Amino acid sequence: MRIRPLVAAGLGAVALGGCSSAPTIEVGDCLTNPSADHVRVISCEQSHSGEVVGSYRAEDGPYPGEAALEQQAQGSCAAAFALYVGVPVASSIYDLVPLLPTKNTWEKRGDREILCVVRSTTGESLIGSVRGSAR
């Protein structure tokens, strides 16, 4: 299974067109260059680097660490990927990247959101949605 985690600083606090305090990233949103510092939601018809195929909230409590969050993300994100794309990650031409809260956003903002994002295995931009593509 190709799952590569990316620790994301407060993605639950990113809004259309840039950073904001309102959580607006949803399943089906397309993103440009998601990173630990910034994410921008754009139309899936534009060139983009990832598409959100699933989202879930990690359990409350002390920050469990990146490895534990990665472990939680693997099963949930793989299931979301298969439902959204139409094939399992192992059979797909795409990669799955869970975007994880950081210790800082976990503790200071209560960030528990883990986003499951599809990306190209080659690093090329995507154009159009991967929903139901079975690729």
Side-chain angles (χ1 to χ4, degrees):
M1 183 180 316
R2 296 180 310 265
I3 299 180
R4 299 181 187 142
L6 177 66
V7 177
L11 287 179
V14 175
L16 185 66
C19 297
S20 169
S21 60
T24 59
I25 294 179
E26 299 176 2
V27 171
D29 284 346
C30 291
L31 314 173
T32 59
N33 300 315
S35 72
D37 298 318
H38 183 77
V39 129
R40 191 170 141 220
V41 177
I42 62 169
S43 165
C44 291
E45 298 310 310
Q46 295 179 325
S47 177
H48 56 280
S49 55
E51 184 171 345
V52 179
V53 299
S55 172
Y56 72 95
R57 186 172 168 80
E59 293 181 19
D60 282 330
Y63 181 70
E66 187 177 333
L69 289 172
E70 287 174 30
Q71 187 67 30
Q72 289 178 34
Q74 284 188 5
S76 296
C77 285
F81 180 100
L83 286 172
Y84 191 92
V85 177
V87 294
V89 177
S91 302
S92 179
I93 64 167
Y94 303 113
D95 273 341
L96 175 59
V97 181
L99 300 177
L100 309 172
T102 65
K103 183 175 184 184
N104 185 47
T105 62
W106 184 281
E107 293 174 349
K108 296 196 174 173
R109 294 190 221 163
D111 183 13
R112 303 292 186 272
E113 187 174 21
I114 296 175
L115 297 175
C116 310
V117 178
V118 167
R119 296 180 94 167
S120 165
T121 57
T122 63
E124 295 178 18
S125 293
L126 303 171
I127 297 178
S129 176
V130 301
R131 185 188 306 257
S133 67
R135 298 179 62 200

